[in-house]
Structure formats: C-alpha cells, structure tokens
Amino acid sequence: MTATPDDEPVHYARQGPIATVTMNRPDYRNAQNSAMTYALDRAFYRAADDGEVKVVVLAGAGRHFSAGHDIGSPQRDAHLPFERRAGLWWDHSDKEGAESRFARESEVYLGMCRRWRELPKPVIASVQGACVAGGLMLAWICDLIIAADDAFFADPVVRMGIPGVEYFAHPWVMPPRIAKEFLYTGDRMSARRAYEVGMVNRVVPRDELAARTEELALRIAGMPRLGLALAKRAVNQAEDLQGLHTGLDSVFGLHHLAHAHNAETSRDALGGMDIARMKEAGS
C-alpha cells in the first residue's frame, strides 16, 4: 500500500487493485482551491500510470464530499500561477478581467474535468454530506456514484446570476425538467431523490459507505482492464454524440458572460455572493 503525507490537500492510497484518491480539506468541507485541483490531477495520472490499479475511488475526508469551489478559505489561491496541465490557454495570474477568469477556468474546471472523465479506468465517486456546485463536477466526471444516505446535491449558483457550474453536465446526468428545477430553485436534492432521477447508482447507510464502495470496486476490478477501458470509451462517446461535449462548450461561454455581467453591474464577478451570503440564501 502506498500513501501520501497527511498534510497534503489530496491523499493517494492503493490497496490491491483499488486506488483511493481522497480530498483532504475537511475543515473547509473539501472546498477546491487550485492546490487541491492540481493535486487531484497528479493523483489521477498516478492511478492511470500504475499497472496494478484497476479501479479508482474518489472520496472526501470528513463529513462532506465537497462543498464546491473555494471562494473564501484562508488558502484560496485563485490569483496564483500554476503549471498549465489541461490546455494551451496562457497563465491567468498576470491578466485582468474576463481574460484572466476565462483562462483559469478553462484550465482548472472545464479542462481538468474533461480530461479526468477520459481516465481509461473506472472511477467511482463515494459521496457523503455536501456535494455542492464544484463538488458536482467532481462527482459527475466519475463513472459511478455511490451516495451515503446523508448526502445531498445542489447547484445554487443561479443565486449569483450564473447559469450553473462550469462543467455543465446537468441535462445529461438528470432529465432536463429536473435539471431546470434543480437550477431554478437551488434547493438541495437528497441522495434518495438523486437515485430516483438516475444521477447516482446506489444509496447506502453512511457507516457502510466506504465498505460498500470498496465491495463494488473489487467486483469491477475482476473484469479485464482493456474491456473496462473500451466499455467506458463506448459510453462516453455515446454521451458526446448526444451533445455533451459541445453542450459543455456552449454553456461555458454563457457562464463567463454571467461573470462579466456581474463584474460590470455589481461589486465582483460573483454578484457579491460570498460564503456568508450563500449560506443565508440556503446553500
């Protein structure tokens, strides 16, 4: 078994054919700063390169899977440069306005998520507590989602005047009318409701989440590696033929139009909605 230091934003551990990638900012509900995002990227590459790994599990330390993008913790690092990994857009840190935001989010949100979705090994999200906004993106790039009975899902960013998170898979992971209700209200969707609409595969008791996820991962790991990779590619290609790839591009543009409008008409690109105001609004 291999592991990473306790103070890293992402833990990586392999037990037999299962690699577990764990987001490790529990004090901030695993909010995703850039350091975590790039650590996730390294972990997924590590799992892809390890010939002993057949299945990857994505989990979150503590009470919550992920409360989304980091918009206010002491380690928020959106202004800092990082080595580009997901595309050819230039560094955002020395740019201003829409140029900076579009370049950064093309890399760390849309670009990263698209690449992780194509990891040629099955990935299972093991979700407890909050899976909100940017947390949805991480769960949705996984092939399967196992949810604890205390899990809840929400994309409340319409409160910011923004049409949804950057990786806009909503109409593909749930029926369009459910997606509209999900966005229009910003309400939490329970694990049971997420199962009913087909967004998650299984709902299990919270204290059984890790064990039940491992059980499924081991079952899948018994399949031939190439067969799994080709089956994953086949389903992903079908989703893209149904418009997922081009849909993500088109809504990403609308997402940034909303940011630009906010920057012109309110105090910031988030429409003045900080963590406290989002909590007051019900997130």
Side-chain angles (χ1 to χ4, degrees), residues 3-283:
T4 44
D6 288 343
D7 60 350
E8 290 295 311
V10 171
H11 287 177
Y12 181 99
R14 181 175 67 80
Q15 184 70 49
I18 311 303
T20 300
V21 176
T22 305
M23 292 175 281
N24 186 44
R25 300 187 74 211
D27 291 345
Y28 304 107
R29 302 202 303 173
N30 294 317
Q32 305 151 31
N33 59 5
S34 293
M36 173 183 279
T37 302
Y38 282 91
L40 282 170
D41 195 58
R42 292 190 296 272
F44 285 133
Y45 265 101
R46 183 174 176 180
D49 289 341
D50 187 342
E52 299 299 316
V53 171
K54 297 289 292 293
V55 180
V56 181
V57 171
L58 177 62
R63 294 176 54 200
H64 300 284
F65 178 75
S66 177
H69 302 330
D70 187 343
I71 61 171
S73 88
Q75 288 83 43
R76 187 166 189 256
D77 53 11
H79 62 293
L80 298 177
F82 285 80
E83 181 183 359
R84 311 293 289 177
R85 297 293 302 274
L88 295 175
W89 275 92
W90 43 76
D91 174 49
H92 70 284
S93 63
D94 59 349
K95 312 298 188 301
E96 296 182 351
E99 182 179 15
S100 174
R101 184 174 295 274
F102 194 92
R104 178 175 183 269
E105 295 192 357
S106 294
E107 163 82 359
V108 298
Y109 298 147
L110 184 60
M112 292 284 195
C113 285
R114 273 184 164 158
R115 193 169 70 238
W116 298 340
R117 174 177 175 260
E118 297 301 322
L119 195 160
K121 297 178 180 181
V123 184
I124 304 173
S126 185
V127 177
Q128 81 283 5
C131 183
V132 175
L136 295 170
M137 294 168 34
L138 298 184
W140 288 347
I141 60 94
C142 297
D143 303 294
L144 305 176
I145 301 175
I146 310 300
D149 52 14
D150 70 342
F152 61 89
F153 305 84
D155 188 359
V157 300
V158 173
R159 294 190 183 113
M160 300 176 175
I162 297 170
V165 289
E166 295 84 353
Y167 186 84
F168 192 88
H170 306 62
W172 286 269
V173 300
M174 63 184 89
R177 285 190 177 85
I178 303 300
K180 288 177 180 178
E181 180 183 0
F182 188 67
L183 289 162
Y184 292 171
T185 66
D187 289 346
R188 294 179 176 184
M189 178 183 287
S190 69
R192 178 55 54 185
R193 179 60 172 157
Y195 174 79
E196 290 171 352
V197 303
M199 191 170 77
V200 308
N201 297 84
R202 301 181 183 182
V203 179
V204 302
R206 175 66 183 88
D207 59 0
E208 298 178 17
L209 178 62
R212 298 281 288 275
T213 302
E214 181 183 20
E215 177 185 319
L216 180 59
L218 286 170
R219 182 177 178 188
I220 294 170
M223 293 291 195
R225 177 171 54 232
L226 181 59
L228 290 170
L230 295 178
K232 177 169 183 169
R233 176 60 65 87
V235 176
N236 283 2
Q237 287 177 340
E239 283 189 308
D240 288 338
L241 287 169
Q242 293 165 357
L244 175 59
H245 193 278
T246 53
L248 291 172
D249 280 337
S250 65
V251 181
F252 192 67
L254 297 176
H255 181 97
H256 283 273
L257 171 62
H259 277 313
H261 176 75
N262 284 343
E264 288 190 24
T265 61
S266 65
R267 71 187 190 196
D268 57 40
L270 300 181
M273 295 294 283
D274 56 18
I275 292 174
R277 291 191 65 191
M278 290 295 281
K279 287 181 177 178
E280 289 172 4
S283 301

